[in-house]
Each structure stands twice: as C-alpha cells, then as structure tokens.
Amino acid sequence: MSDRVVVVTGGGSGIGRATARTFAARGDQVVVVGRREEPLVETGAGEPLVADVADADGIAAHVRERYGRLDVLVNNAAIVRGGPLGTVTTQDVHDLLATNLVAPIMLTQALLPLMAEGAVIVNVSTAIGQRGWPNNSVYPAAKAALESLTRSWAVELAPRGIRVVAVAPGAIATPIAANQGWSPEKTADVRKWQVAHTPLGRVGEPDEVAWAIAGLAAGEAGFVTGVVLPVDGGAVVG
C-alpha cells in the first residue's frame, strides 16, 4: 500500500478506468480525469475530476490545492478518428493532435513542478504507432510522436530522479468502436482483422494494460526509464 498521488486522464472508460481502479486497489490516492461526471463516478475509484484534458492549468491547480504533490501521471486520454488520404480534414488533424499530443505535453509541463524524485510519467501510446496503419494514419502518427517525447523526457528528467515510460496497447476490448460510431458489422470486421494480426489470437483486456502501467510506475521498476512497452499480444513482432 503506497498512498501515492496519481492522476489518470481519460479515466471514465476502458484502459483509463482499469488503470484508476488498479492504482486505487494498491492504496494510491487517484484523481480520475474526464469530461463527463457520470462515467467517472461509474469508475468507482479515487476522486472524479470533471475537466477537459486540455485544461492543463486547471487540473494542475486542483492537484496542487488538494494534494500538494504528484507521484504518478498517466497520460491516457485520447481520441481516434480515421480515414484514407483524400478524406482527412484540417479539423480532424487539429483535434487528433490537440488531444493526443498537445494535451499530454501541456499537462505534463503544468504538473511537473509538483513532481519530486521518484515520480513517474506514463504515456499511453499504441502498438500501431510502430507499424503502418492504412486509412488511419494521423492517429498513430500522433502516438508515435508521444513515444518520441517519452524517450526525450526520460533523458531530460533523469537528473531530477523522474522516470518517463510508455505502454503501447494493441487490440484491447474498449468502447473505442462505439465512440467512433461504428456499426456492429464494421466493429466485427475490424476485430476479426485485429485478431488475425495478433499472434496470441485474441483481443486484450483493459486490466492487462493497467497491470503494465502500474508495474512500470512501481518502485520495483526504479531502473526502467525511456521504454515503450508493447501490450499487444505480439502484434508488433508478429
């Protein structure tokens, strides 16, 4: 039981919800950030904080006033929009980069003054950032940039004793398809393709990603920094 202060963004569903519950079960004080109150309450772990992840200063002010420090930041919030070249709009690109890349940068920067030696930043990327994904190129490109930031921040913050790591989930059973408005038929087709390209032959569970996040943030992983850990059933190497 560690009693650390942990911030998890996008904590109202999927990987974020599982991660918040995992840290809370380990005795941590968890601030669960999301845009809608009801899903955060349903997460049932820690303190719900209704906020847009882009409101870096507001989130940082809340953590500073309520807790006075931060031990673990999990940059999990993300949106997914896709389409082949020729259909991508400027707004699509702006929204994807704003949430998946700019928001983690600004939130990390705003919360950094609350982090001391031993703190950990965990960025949630995607396994497809390490491969080609036709007809959905902007999303993995933003996540690949987040992986680059992970490595750069790891070196930059190492003298302060702050570790920076990332996980790269593959096909995980989350509401991502429903959030994009996919039909049941399209969802089934995508899942079939994902399973076919996953050596372990199945879709992963949010708890399996949460386990990796919590493990990388644990004190026992104190000599691990700058890594991007695939949690993808072997999809990257298969």
Side-chain angles (χ1 to χ4, degrees):
M1 307 295 282
S2 65
D3 197 35
R4 297 175 300 177
V5 178
V6 180
V7 168
V8 178
T9 66
S13 66
I15 293 170
R17 172 174 286 180
T19 299
R21 289 173 173 174
T22 297
F23 277 112
R26 298 186 179 202
D28 296 314
Q29 302 177 75
V30 186
V31 181
V32 191
V33 181
R35 289 182 292 181
R36 295 185 297 124
E37 182 175 13
E38 184 177 355
L40 297 179
V41 172
E42 290 174 356
T43 292
E47 176 199 4
L49 176 59
V50 180
D52 192 303
V53 72
D55 182 17
D57 291 339
I59 295 171
H62 177 86
V63 176
R64 184 186 307 109
E65 293 168 7
R66 182 72 183 269
Y67 302 96
R69 75 177 201 274
L70 180 64
D71 301 294
V72 180
L73 168 61
V74 181
N75 285 313
N76 168 72
I79 60 171
V80 180
R81 293 180 187 172
L85 286 176
T87 68
V88 178
T89 68
T90 300
Q91 191 64 49
D92 290 335
V93 176
H94 176 272
D95 292 345
L96 282 163
L97 293 181
T99 300
N100 299 345
L101 183 59
V102 176
I105 294 172
M106 303 313 295
L107 183 58
T108 301
Q109 181 170 270
L111 288 169
L112 194 57
L114 300 178
M115 299 183 194
E117 182 175 356
V120 186
I121 299 164
V122 185
N123 295 321
V124 179
S125 178
T126 176
I128 59 172
Q130 303 174 38
R131 303 184 65 173
W133 191 5
N135 302 321
N136 192 2
S137 56
V138 181
Y139 169 71
K143 290 295 193 177
L146 190 60
E147 293 182 8
S148 178
L149 288 171
T150 298
R151 291 184 284 269
S152 296
W153 289 349
V155 176
E156 180 177 341
L157 299 178
R160 296 177 52 174
I162 298 173
R163 298 189 295 114
V164 188
V165 294
V167 297
I172 306 297
T174 70
I176 188 172
N179 292 343
Q180 292 190 86
W182 290 355
S183 67
E185 293 77 17
K186 180 174 181 178
T187 300
D189 287 343
V190 170
R191 285 305 191 200
K192 182 178 179 181
W193 181 90
Q194 289 173 327
V195 170
H197 289 80
T198 301
L200 286 183
R202 67 175 176 86
V203 171
E205 295 296 329
D207 285 343
E208 294 176 301
V209 184
W211 170 87
I213 292 171
L216 286 171
E220 293 84 349
F223 202 52
V224 178
T225 194
V227 302
V228 178
L229 176 65
V231 187
D232 63 358
V236 169
V237 296

Coordinates of all heavy atoms in Angstrom, one line a residue, residues 52-126:
D52 N -11.7 19.0 -19.0 CA -11.1 18.7 -20.3 C -9.6 18.5 -20.2 O -8.9 19.3 -19.5 CB -11.4 19.8 -21.3 CG -11.1 19.4 -22.8 OD1 -9.9 19.0 -23.0 OD2 -12.0 19.4 -23.6
V53 N -9.0 17.5 -20.8 CA -7.6 17.3 -20.6 C -6.8 18.5 -21.1 O -5.6 18.6 -20.7 CB -7.2 16.0 -21.3 CG1 -7.2 16.1 -22.8 CG2 -5.8 15.5 -20.8
A54 N -7.4 19.3 -22.0 CA -6.7 20.5 -22.5 C -6.5 21.6 -21.4 O -5.7 22.5 -21.6 CB -7.4 21.0 -23.7
D55 N -7.3 21.4 -20.3 CA -7.2 22.4 -19.3 C -6.1 22.1 -18.3 O -6.3 21.8 -17.1 CB -8.6 22.5 -18.5 CG -8.6 23.6 -17.5 OD1 -7.7 24.5 -17.5 OD2 -9.5 23.5 -16.6
A56 N -4.9 22.2 -18.8 CA -3.7 21.8 -18.0 C -3.6 22.6 -16.7 O -3.4 22.0 -15.6 CB -2.5 21.9 -18.8
D57 N -3.8 23.9 -16.8 CA -3.6 24.7 -15.6 C -4.7 24.4 -14.6 O -4.4 24.4 -13.4 CB -3.6 26.2 -16.0 CG -2.4 26.6 -16.9 OD1 -1.4 25.9 -16.8 OD2 -2.5 27.6 -17.6
G58 N -5.9 24.2 -15.0 CA -7.0 23.9 -14.1 C -6.7 22.6 -13.4 O -7.0 22.5 -12.1
I59 N -6.3 21.6 -14.1 CA -6.1 20.3 -13.5 C -4.9 20.4 -12.5 O -4.9 19.9 -11.4 CB -5.8 19.2 -14.5 CG1 -7.0 19.0 -15.4 CG2 -5.3 17.9 -13.9 CD1 -6.8 18.1 -16.6
A60 N -3.8 21.1 -12.9 CA -2.7 21.3 -12.0 C -3.0 22.0 -10.8 O -2.6 21.7 -9.7 CB -1.6 22.0 -12.8
A61 N -3.9 23.1 -10.9 CA -4.3 23.9 -9.7 C -5.1 23.0 -8.8 O -4.9 23.1 -7.5 CB -5.1 25.0 -10.2
H62 N -5.9 22.1 -9.3 CA -6.7 21.2 -8.4 C -5.8 20.3 -7.6 O -5.9 20.1 -6.4 CB -7.7 20.4 -9.2 CG -8.5 19.5 -8.4 ND1 -9.6 19.8 -7.7 CD2 -8.2 18.1 -8.1 CE1 -10.1 18.7 -7.1 NE2 -9.2 17.7 -7.3
V63 N -4.8 19.7 -8.3 CA -3.9 18.7 -7.7 C -3.1 19.5 -6.6 O -2.8 19.0 -5.5 CB -3.1 18.0 -8.7 CG1 -2.1 17.1 -8.0 CG2 -3.9 17.2 -9.7
R64 N -2.6 20.6 -7.0 CA -1.8 21.4 -6.1 C -2.5 21.8 -4.8 O -2.0 21.6 -3.7 CB -1.3 22.7 -6.8 CG -0.3 23.5 -5.9 CD 0.0 24.8 -6.6 NE 0.5 24.6 -8.0 CZ -0.2 25.0 -9.1 NH1 -1.4 25.5 -8.9 NH2 0.3 24.8 -10.2
E65 N -3.7 22.2 -5.0 CA -4.5 22.7 -3.8 C -5.0 21.5 -2.9 O -5.1 21.6 -1.7 CB -5.7 23.5 -4.3 CG -5.3 24.8 -4.9 CD -6.4 25.5 -5.7 OE1 -7.6 25.0 -5.5 OE2 -6.2 26.5 -6.4
R66 N -5.3 20.4 -3.6 CA -5.9 19.3 -2.9 C -4.8 18.4 -2.2 O -5.0 17.9 -1.1 CB -6.8 18.5 -3.8 CG -7.5 17.3 -3.2 CD -8.6 17.7 -2.2 NE -9.3 16.6 -1.6 CZ -10.3 16.0 -2.1 NH1 -10.9 16.4 -3.2 NH2 -10.8 15.0 -1.4
Y67 N -3.7 18.2 -3.0 CA -2.8 17.2 -2.5 C -1.4 17.7 -2.3 O -0.6 17.2 -1.6 CB -2.7 16.0 -3.6 CG -4.0 15.4 -3.8 CD1 -4.8 15.7 -4.9 CD2 -4.5 14.4 -2.9 CE1 -6.0 15.1 -5.1 CE2 -5.7 13.7 -3.1 CZ -6.5 14.1 -4.2 OH -7.7 13.5 -4.4
G68 N -1.0 18.8 -3.0 CA 0.3 19.4 -2.8 C 1.5 18.7 -3.5 O 2.6 19.2 -3.4
R69 N 1.2 17.6 -4.2 CA 2.3 16.9 -4.8 C 1.6 15.9 -5.9 O 0.4 15.7 -5.9 CB 3.1 16.1 -3.8 CG 2.4 14.8 -3.3 CD 3.3 14.0 -2.4 NE 2.9 12.6 -2.3 CZ 2.0 12.2 -1.4 NH1 1.4 13.0 -0.6 NH2 1.7 10.9 -1.4
L70 N 2.5 15.4 -6.7 CA 2.1 14.3 -7.7 C 3.2 13.3 -7.8 O 4.3 13.7 -8.0 CB 1.7 15.0 -9.0 CG 1.3 13.9 -10.1 CD1 0.0 13.3 -9.7 CD2 1.1 14.6 -11.4
D71 N 2.8 12.0 -7.7 CA 3.8 11.0 -7.8 C 3.7 10.2 -9.1 O 4.8 9.8 -9.6 CB 3.5 10.0 -6.6 CG 3.7 10.6 -5.3 OD1 4.8 11.1 -4.9 OD2 2.6 10.8 -4.6
V72 N 2.5 10.1 -9.7 CA 2.4 9.4 -11.0 C 1.4 10.1 -11.8 O 0.3 10.4 -11.4 CB 1.9 7.9 -10.8 CG1 1.8 7.2 -12.1 CG2 2.9 7.2 -9.8
L73 N 1.8 10.4 -13.1 CA 0.9 10.9 -14.1 C 0.7 9.9 -15.2 O 1.7 9.5 -15.8 CB 1.4 12.2 -14.6 CG 0.7 12.8 -15.9 CD1 -0.7 13.1 -15.6 CD2 1.5 14.0 -16.4
V74 N -0.5 9.5 -15.5 CA -0.8 8.6 -16.6 C -1.5 9.4 -17.7 O -2.7 9.8 -17.5 CB -1.7 7.4 -16.1 CG1 -1.9 6.5 -17.3 CG2 -1.0 6.7 -15.0
N75 N -0.8 9.7 -18.8 CA -1.4 10.4 -19.9 C -2.1 9.4 -20.8 O -1.5 8.9 -21.7 CB -0.3 11.2 -20.7 CG 0.2 12.4 -20.0 OD1 -0.6 13.2 -19.5 ND2 1.5 12.6 -19.9
N76 N -3.4 9.2 -20.5 CA -4.1 8.1 -21.2 C -5.2 8.7 -22.2 O -5.5 8.0 -23.2 CB -4.8 7.2 -20.2 CG -5.8 6.3 -20.8 OD1 -5.5 5.4 -21.5 ND2 -7.1 6.6 -20.6
A77 N -5.8 9.8 -21.9 CA -6.9 10.4 -22.7 C -6.5 10.5 -24.1 O -5.4 10.9 -24.5 CB -7.3 11.7 -22.1
A78 N -7.4 10.1 -25.0 CA -7.1 10.1 -26.4 C -8.4 10.1 -27.2 O -9.5 9.6 -26.7 CB -6.2 8.9 -26.9
I79 N -8.4 10.5 -28.5 CA -9.5 10.3 -29.4 C -8.9 9.6 -30.6 O -7.7 9.7 -31.0 CB -10.1 11.6 -29.8 CG1 -9.1 12.6 -30.5 CG2 -10.8 12.3 -28.6 CD1 -9.8 13.8 -31.1
V80 N -9.8 8.9 -31.3 CA -9.4 8.2 -32.5 C -10.4 8.6 -33.7 O -11.6 8.5 -33.5 CB -9.5 6.7 -32.4 CG1 -9.1 6.0 -33.6 CG2 -8.7 6.2 -31.2
R81 N -9.8 9.1 -34.7 CA -10.5 9.4 -35.9 C -9.7 8.9 -37.1 O -8.5 9.1 -37.1 CB -10.8 10.9 -36.1 CG -11.8 11.4 -35.0 CD -12.0 12.9 -35.2 NE -12.8 13.4 -34.1 CZ -13.1 14.7 -33.9 NH1 -12.6 15.6 -34.7 NH2 -13.8 15.1 -32.8
G82 N -10.3 8.4 -38.1 CA -9.5 7.8 -39.2 C -10.2 8.1 -40.5 O -11.4 8.4 -40.6
G83 N -9.4 7.8 -41.5 CA -9.9 7.9 -42.9 C -8.7 7.9 -43.9 O -7.6 8.3 -43.5
P84 N -8.9 7.5 -45.1 CA -7.9 7.5 -46.1 C -7.5 8.9 -46.5 O -8.3 9.8 -46.3 CB -8.4 6.7 -47.2 CG -9.9 6.9 -47.1 CD -10.2 7.0 -45.6
L85 N -6.3 9.0 -47.0 CA -5.8 10.3 -47.6 C -6.8 10.7 -48.6 O -7.2 9.9 -49.5 CB -4.4 10.2 -48.1 CG -3.3 10.1 -47.1 CD1 -2.0 9.9 -47.8 CD2 -3.3 11.4 -46.3
G86 N -7.2 12.0 -48.6 CA -8.2 12.5 -49.5 C -9.5 12.8 -48.8 O -10.4 13.5 -49.3
T87 N -9.6 12.2 -47.5 CA -10.8 12.4 -46.7 C -10.5 13.2 -45.4 O -11.4 13.6 -44.7 CB -11.5 11.1 -46.4 OG1 -10.7 10.4 -45.5 CG2 -11.8 10.3 -47.6
V88 N -9.2 13.3 -45.1 CA -8.8 13.9 -43.8 C -9.0 15.4 -43.9 O -8.5 16.0 -44.9 CB -7.3 13.5 -43.5 CG1 -6.9 14.2 -42.2 CG2 -7.2 12.0 -43.4
T89 N -9.6 16.0 -42.9 CA -9.8 17.4 -42.9 C -8.8 18.1 -41.9 O -8.2 17.4 -41.1 CB -11.2 17.8 -42.4 OG1 -11.4 17.4 -41.1 CG2 -12.3 17.0 -43.3
T90 N -8.7 19.4 -42.1 CA -7.8 20.1 -41.2 C -8.3 20.0 -39.8 O -7.5 19.9 -38.8 CB -7.7 21.6 -41.6 OG1 -7.2 21.7 -42.9 CG2 -6.9 22.4 -40.7
Q91 N -9.6 20.0 -39.6 CA -10.2 19.9 -38.2 C -9.9 18.5 -37.6 O -9.6 18.4 -36.4 CB -11.7 20.1 -38.3 CG -12.3 20.3 -36.9 CD -11.8 21.5 -36.2 OE1 -11.8 22.6 -36.7 NE2 -11.4 21.3 -34.9
D92 N -9.9 17.5 -38.5 CA -9.6 16.1 -38.0 C -8.2 16.1 -37.4 O -7.9 15.6 -36.3 CB -9.7 15.1 -39.1 CG -11.1 14.8 -39.5 OD1 -12.0 15.0 -38.7 OD2 -11.2 14.4 -40.7
V93 N -7.2 16.7 -38.2 CA -5.8 16.7 -37.8 C -5.7 17.5 -36.5 O -5.0 17.1 -35.5 CB -4.9 17.3 -38.9 CG1 -3.5 17.4 -38.4 CG2 -5.0 16.3 -40.1
H94 N -6.3 18.7 -36.5 CA -6.2 19.6 -35.3 C -6.7 18.9 -34.1 O -6.1 18.9 -33.0 CB -7.0 20.9 -35.6 CG -7.1 21.8 -34.4 ND1 -8.0 21.7 -33.4 CD2 -6.3 22.8 -34.0 CE1 -7.8 22.6 -32.5 NE2 -6.7 23.3 -32.8
D95 N -7.9 18.2 -34.2 CA -8.5 17.6 -33.0 C -7.6 16.4 -32.5 O -7.4 16.2 -31.3 CB -9.9 17.1 -33.3 CG -10.9 18.2 -33.5 OD1 -10.6 19.4 -33.2 OD2 -12.0 17.9 -34.1
L96 N -7.1 15.6 -33.4 CA -6.3 14.5 -33.0 C -5.0 14.9 -32.4 O -4.6 14.4 -31.3 CB -5.9 13.6 -34.3 CG -7.1 12.7 -34.8 CD1 -6.8 12.3 -36.2 CD2 -7.2 11.5 -33.9
L97 N -4.3 15.9 -32.9 CA -3.1 16.4 -32.3 C -3.3 17.1 -31.0 O -2.6 17.0 -30.1 CB -2.4 17.3 -33.3 CG -1.8 16.6 -34.6 CD1 -1.1 17.6 -35.5 CD2 -0.9 15.5 -34.3
A98 N -4.4 17.9 -30.9 CA -4.7 18.6 -29.7 C -4.9 17.7 -28.5 O -4.4 18.0 -27.4 CB -6.0 19.5 -29.9
T99 N -5.6 16.6 -28.7 CA -5.9 15.7 -27.6 C -4.8 14.7 -27.4 O -4.4 14.4 -26.2 CB -7.2 15.0 -27.8 OG1 -8.3 15.9 -27.9 CG2 -7.5 14.0 -26.7
N100 N -4.3 14.1 -28.4 CA -3.3 13.0 -28.3 C -1.9 13.4 -28.2 O -1.1 12.6 -27.7 CB -3.5 12.1 -29.5 CG -4.8 11.5 -29.7 OD1 -5.6 11.6 -28.8 ND2 -5.1 11.0 -30.9
L101 N -1.6 14.7 -28.5 CA -0.2 15.1 -28.4 C 0.0 16.4 -27.6 O 0.8 16.5 -26.7 CB 0.4 15.3 -29.8 CG 1.9 15.6 -29.9 CD1 2.8 14.6 -29.2 CD2 2.3 15.8 -31.4
V102 N -0.7 17.4 -28.0 CA -0.5 18.7 -27.3 C -1.0 18.7 -25.9 O -0.3 19.1 -25.0 CB -1.3 19.9 -28.1 CG1 -1.2 21.2 -27.3 CG2 -0.8 20.0 -29.5
A103 N -2.1 18.0 -25.6 CA -2.6 18.0 -24.2 C -1.7 17.3 -23.3 O -1.4 17.8 -22.2 CB -4.0 17.3 -24.2
P104 N -1.1 16.1 -23.7 CA -0.1 15.5 -22.8 C 1.1 16.3 -22.5 O 1.6 16.3 -21.4 CB 0.3 14.2 -23.5 CG -0.9 13.9 -24.4 CD -1.4 15.2 -24.8
I105 N 1.5 17.1 -23.5 CA 2.7 17.9 -23.4 C 2.4 19.0 -22.3 O 3.1 19.2 -21.4 CB 3.1 18.6 -24.7 CG1 3.6 17.6 -25.7 CG2 4.2 19.7 -24.5 CD1 3.8 18.1 -27.1
M106 N 1.3 19.7 -22.5 CA 1.0 20.8 -21.7 C 0.6 20.4 -20.2 O 0.9 21.1 -19.3 CB -0.1 21.7 -22.3 CG 0.2 22.2 -23.7 SD 1.8 22.9 -23.9 CE 1.7 24.3 -22.8
L107 N -0.1 19.2 -20.1 CA -0.5 18.8 -18.8 C 0.8 18.3 -18.0 O 0.9 18.6 -16.8 CB -1.5 17.6 -18.9 CG -2.0 17.1 -17.6 CD1 -2.6 18.2 -16.8 CD2 -2.9 15.9 -17.8
T108 N 1.7 17.6 -18.7 CA 2.9 17.2 -18.1 C 3.7 18.4 -17.6 O 4.2 18.4 -16.5 CB 3.8 16.3 -19.0 OG1 3.0 15.2 -19.4 CG2 5.1 15.9 -18.4
Q109 N 3.8 19.4 -18.4 CA 4.5 20.6 -18.1 C 3.9 21.3 -16.9 O 4.6 21.8 -16.0 CB 4.5 21.5 -19.3 CG 5.3 22.8 -19.1 CD 5.5 23.6 -20.4 OE1 6.5 23.4 -21.1 NE2 4.5 24.4 -20.7
A110 N 2.6 21.4 -16.9 CA 1.9 22.1 -15.8 C 2.0 21.3 -14.4 O 2.1 21.9 -13.4 CB 0.4 22.2 -16.1
L111 N 2.1 20.0 -14.5 CA 2.2 19.2 -13.3 C 3.6 18.9 -12.8 O 3.8 18.5 -11.7 CB 1.4 17.9 -13.5 CG -0.1 17.9 -13.6 CD1 -0.7 16.6 -14.0 CD2 -0.7 18.3 -12.2
L112 N 4.5 19.2 -13.7 CA 5.9 18.9 -13.4 C 6.4 19.5 -12.1 O 7.2 18.9 -11.3 CB 6.8 19.3 -14.5 CG 8.3 18.8 -14.5 CD1 8.3 17.2 -14.5 CD2 9.0 19.3 -15.8
P113 N 6.0 20.8 -11.8 CA 6.5 21.4 -10.5 C 6.0 20.6 -9.3 O 6.6 20.8 -8.2 CB 5.9 22.8 -10.5 CG 5.7 23.1 -12.0 CD 5.3 21.8 -12.6
L114 N 5.0 19.8 -9.4 CA 4.5 19.0 -8.2 C 5.2 17.7 -8.1 O 4.9 16.9 -7.1 CB 3.0 18.8 -8.4 CG 2.1 20.0 -8.5 CD1 0.7 19.6 -8.7 CD2 2.3 20.9 -7.2
M115 N 6.1 17.4 -9.0 CA 6.8 16.1 -9.0 C 8.2 16.2 -8.4 O 8.9 17.1 -8.8 CB 6.9 15.5 -10.5 CG 5.6 15.3 -11.1 SD 5.8 14.5 -12.8 CE 4.1 14.8 -13.5
A116 N 8.5 15.2 -7.6 CA 9.8 15.2 -6.9 C 10.5 13.9 -7.4 O 10.0 13.1 -8.2 CB 9.7 15.3 -5.4
E117 N 11.7 13.7 -6.8 CA 12.4 12.5 -7.1 C 11.6 11.2 -6.8 O 10.9 11.2 -5.8 CB 13.7 12.4 -6.3 CG 14.6 11.2 -6.6 CD 15.9 11.3 -5.8 OE1 16.2 12.3 -5.1 OE2 16.7 10.3 -5.9
G118 N 11.6 10.3 -7.8 CA 10.8 9.1 -7.6 C 9.5 9.2 -8.4 O 8.8 8.1 -8.5
A119 N 9.1 10.3 -8.9 CA 7.8 10.5 -9.6 C 8.0 9.7 -11.0 O 9.1 9.5 -11.5 CB 7.5 11.9 -9.8
V120 N 6.8 9.4 -11.5 CA 6.8 8.6 -12.8 C 5.7 9.2 -13.7 O 4.6 9.5 -13.3 CB 6.5 7.1 -12.6 CG1 6.6 6.4 -13.9 CG2 7.4 6.5 -11.5
I121 N 6.1 9.4 -15.0 CA 5.1 9.8 -16.0 C 5.0 8.6 -16.9 O 6.0 8.0 -17.5 CB 5.7 11.0 -16.8 CG1 5.9 12.2 -15.9 CG2 4.7 11.3 -18.0 CD1 6.7 13.3 -16.5
V122 N 3.7 8.2 -17.2 CA 3.4 7.0 -18.0 C 2.5 7.6 -19.2 O 1.4 8.0 -19.0 CB 2.7 5.9 -17.3 CG1 2.5 4.7 -18.3 CG2 3.4 5.5 -16.1
N123 N 3.1 7.5 -20.4 CA 2.3 7.9 -21.6 C 1.7 6.6 -22.2 O 2.4 5.6 -22.3 CB 3.2 8.5 -22.6 CG 3.8 9.9 -22.1 OD1 3.0 10.6 -21.4 ND2 5.0 10.2 -22.4
V124 N 0.4 6.7 -22.6 CA -0.2 5.6 -23.3 C -0.2 5.9 -24.8 O -0.9 6.8 -25.3 CB -1.7 5.4 -22.8 CG1 -2.4 4.3 -23.5 CG2 -1.6 5.2 -21.3
S125 N 0.5 5.0 -25.5 CA 0.6 5.2 -27.0 C -0.2 4.1 -27.6 O -1.3 3.8 -27.2 CB 2.1 5.0 -27.3 OG 2.3 5.1 -28.7
T126 N 0.2 3.5 -28.7 CA -0.5 2.5 -29.4 C 0.5 1.6 -30.2 O 1.5 2.1 -30.7 CB -1.5 3.0 -30.4 OG1 -2.1 1.9 -31.1 CG2 -0.9 4.0 -31.4

